[in-house]
Amino acid sequence: MAQRLAKHWCLSAIRSPLQVISFPALQLHVSGTAMRADQKDFENAVTRVKLLKDPGNEMKLKLYALYKQATEGPCNVPKPGVFNLINKAKWDAWNALGSLPKETARQNYVDLVSSLSSSSASSSQVKPGADKEQQGSENLVVTSENGITKIMLNRPTKKNAITTQMYQEIILALKAASKDDSTITVLTGNGDYYCSGNDLSNFTDVLSGEIEEKVKSIAILLRDFVDCFIDFPKPLIAVVNGPAVGISVTLLGLFDAVYASDRATFHTPFSQLGQSPEGCSSYIFPKMMGPAKAKEMLIFGKKLTAGEACAQGLVTEVFPDSTFQTEVWTRLKAYSKLPPNAMRISKQIIRNMEKEKLHAVNAEEVSVLQERWLSDECINAVMNFLSKRAKL
Ligand SMILES: CCCC/C=C/CC(=O)SCCNC(=O)CCNC(=O)[C@H](O)C(C)(C)COP(=O)(O)OP(=O)(O)OC[C@H]1O[C@@H](n2cnc3c(N)ncnc32)[C@H](O)[C@@H]1OP(=O)(O)O
């Protein structure tokens, strides 16, 4: 079974030989360690490493070598043949560690993952108080100006589909925005789409035997991601500039205002994808729009127009596309001048009634999804989407 799943999810591993080096391999020899890493630290680092921005092949080899040394000790397997490029590179890296003790390798692995995590974090943070500060990455542009922090999905050629790296960057951007001196935070998309949801390639960069681990790390990421929206302390506004799909729709229930262009549509094709709802929508949508309308969306995948979404309470207000940006940003500038503490406190008093419940719903949705991602229904639906687009 595991082999069959891995075969399905493995498509994207067929590019350059070193691209298929798997992430638990990511290790480097770092000396001068202050604290000893225990087995739990090591396991956490193994989980975290899969969520990092791709650090490049050289670093992946270092991580691989340290991982092998930490778990199996010195390399004593036969050297792969000269044409077996990937395995030979991995063997060379492991063998180069000689008789490094397992504990040292484990510590070095943990230290290296920490250093990679913090450099990836600092590269996407908005500095408090920045005026028109531009941060983030190519795919996520974060700016802060006139009391408004704007987080913009910037992958228009892929309809702003969210990669695992972008989930992490959004978490960091929200954490930074919660502490900066802006009064409101806005999430929007660049191009004709607001967001096409989860990037369906997120599961494909795995090697045989790694699918369960990968799914587990994505589940942790999803839970942290949604938790950030539940806990976000300031007014959070979605500027829905075009169609929205999947998780970008379900999350809207956690925003404080949702302004939509009349070109926007709202689509949650979970059953079609063999998946199930997330973003606390299984709880918020029925409360917001009544069970009948919520089930039409979440079970049957009915796509709503902006007007319909507004009538169901998912959208605050719809604007003509031709004047959307001007009208919405004028409105937001006015809101950003309201007393920030009063807004935070009002948000808090509303959210606190339900916070615990929302965290519990999030945990339950993620646990169900984790199983769904391993189901034939889900694998077949995602493979179907990806294979239609595969360029040979
Ligand atoms: C880690 C936590 C996981 C949380 C789980 C969340 C659940 C979800 O979000 S489920 C929703 C997943 N999203 C989808 O099912 C949408 C899939 N995309 C589409 O159906 C269509 O692309 C579209 C209706 C959004 C747009 O169709 P259109 O004909 O206008 O454009 P395309 O040619 O199809 O797309 C352009 C380009 O973008 C790529 N792309 C679009 N959406 C995604 C996506 N979700 N994942 C990966 N790639 C996507 C598409 O493949 C095209 O790429 P190429 O130009 O390279 O072929």
Side-chain angles (χ1 to χ4, degrees):
M1 178 68 168
Q3 235 178 352
R4 201 171 75 76
L5 292 170
K7 191 173 134 230
H8 278 302
W9 289 126
C10 236
L11 281 194
S12 71
I14 319 170
R15 295 198 188 112
S16 87
L18 286 181
Q19 265 182 322
V20 301
I21 292 166
S22 57
F23 244 51
L26 292 179
Q27 302 296 321
L28 180 64
H29 191 122
V30 178
S31 57
T33 315
M35 267 197 300
R36 281 177 61 79
D38 61 16
Q39 184 59 23
K40 188 100 191 82
D41 294 331
F42 180 67
E43 283 163 17
N44 285 342
V46 171
T47 301
R48 264 193 301 146
V49 84
K50 293 174 204 138
L51 304 175
L52 291 174
K53 183 177 163 193
D54 187 338
N57 287 331
E58 197 183 333
M59 188 60 80
K60 283 179 176 177
L61 283 171
K62 286 171 179 166
L63 286 167
Y64 170 81
L66 283 171
Y67 177 82
K68 295 294 275 184
Q69 193 87 6
T71 52
E72 297 177 32
C75 175
N76 59 6
V77 298
K79 186 171 184 170
V82 70
F83 293 113
N84 193 346
L85 293 180
I86 303 161
N87 288 330
K88 188 172 165 303
K90 289 162 92 174
W91 186 93
D92 285 341
W94 182 12
N95 192 49
L97 294 182
S99 57
L100 186 75
K102 272 186 172 184
E103 299 69 39
T104 314
R106 192 170 68 182
Q107 180 68 64
N108 290 351
Y109 184 93
V110 171
D111 290 344
L112 180 58
V113 174
S114 292
S115 71
L116 289 171
S117 306
S118 51
S119 62
S120 128
S122 60
S123 74
S124 8
Q125 274 176 11
V126 177
K127 293 187 190 86
D131 196 29
K132 201 161 190 185
E133 185 78 27
Q134 181 141 342
Q135 301 282 331
S137 69
E138 202 186 333
N139 293 335
L140 192 80
V141 176
V142 185
T143 48
S144 203
E145 188 180 15
N146 298 327
I148 304 176
T149 291
K150 178 169 91 166
I151 302 171
M152 185 175 70
L153 305 170
N154 186 36
R155 225 180 148 219
T157 57
K158 299 286 179 186
K159 311 293 182 193
N160 296 325
I162 310 176
T163 62
T164 50
Q165 189 189 329
M166 289 163 75
Y167 284 107
Q168 294 176 69
E169 288 173 352
I170 295 168
I171 291 175
L172 292 170
L174 285 174
K175 289 200 165 139
S178 71
K179 295 194 197 96
D180 70 15
D181 55 11
S182 63
T183 46
I184 62 175
T185 301
V186 171
L187 184 66
T188 191
N190 185 21
D192 61 339
Y193 258 66
Y194 172 63
C195 173
S196 62
N198 186 41
D199 188 304
L200 294 171
S201 317
N202 278 339
F203 294 100
T204 60
D205 59 340
V206 285
L207 287 176
S208 176
E210 288 178 346
I211 181 68
E212 266 102 1
E213 276 299 297
K214 178 80 178 183
V215 159
K216 194 168 137 203
S217 66
I218 293 184
I220 293 170
L221 177 64
L222 175 60
R223 187 168 165 182
D224 289 352
F225 178 75
V226 175
D227 276 348
C228 262
F229 283 84
I230 297 172
D231 291 332
F232 193 72
K234 298 178 182 178
L236 183 62
I237 292 128
V239 172
V240 185
N241 53 299
V245 186
I247 190 164
S248 69
V249 177
T250 55
L251 276 178
L252 293 175
L254 293 169
F255 282 70
D256 303 301
V258 178
Y259 296 127
S261 148
D262 60 6
R263 237 179 14 84
T265 52
F266 299 82
H267 192 199
T268 48
F270 298 129
S271 299
Q272 287 81 345
L273 289 166
Q275 298 189 30
S276 51
E278 78 300 276
C280 296
S281 59
S282 61
Y283 173 69
I284 296 178
F285 280 25
K287 266 189 22 154
M288 179 188 268
M289 52 184 83
K293 292 294 181 188
K295 285 187 270 191
E296 244 191 332
M297 280 190 87
L298 298 177
I299 301 180
F300 303 114
K302 183 180 178 201
K303 191 196 283 185
L304 302 191
T305 62
E308 287 166 338
C310 194
Q312 302 310 338
L314 182 61
V315 164
T316 312
E317 193 170 336
V318 181
F319 298 82
D321 193 56
S322 53
T323 55
F324 177 63
Q325 296 290 348
T326 324
E327 287 197 65
V328 168
W329 286 102
T330 305
R331 171 95 50 105
L332 293 177
K333 274 177 200 152
Y335 287 170
S336 72
K337 295 192 171 59
L338 291 170
N341 292 335
M343 287 199 287
R344 284 171 81 111
I345 287 165
S346 297
K347 170 163 182 168
Q348 232 171 54
I349 203 166
I350 298 167
R351 178 56 50 91
N352 283 354
M353 306 280 176
E354 295 247 79
K355 214 178 227 186
E356 222 175 292
K357 174 77 184 166
L358 292 171
H359 283 300
V361 170
N362 182 25
E364 176 62 14
E365 286 178 344
V366 170
S367 141
V368 171
L369 252 182
Q370 196 173 334
E371 300 208 344
R372 285 278 85 216
W373 289 330
L374 292 169
S375 71
D376 280 350
E377 286 181 346
C378 177
I379 290 165
N380 292 337
V382 174
M383 292 313 299
N384 190 29
F385 174 82
L386 294 176
S387 59
K388 278 190 191 139
R389 282 153 175 82
K391 293 174 178 65
L392 300 175

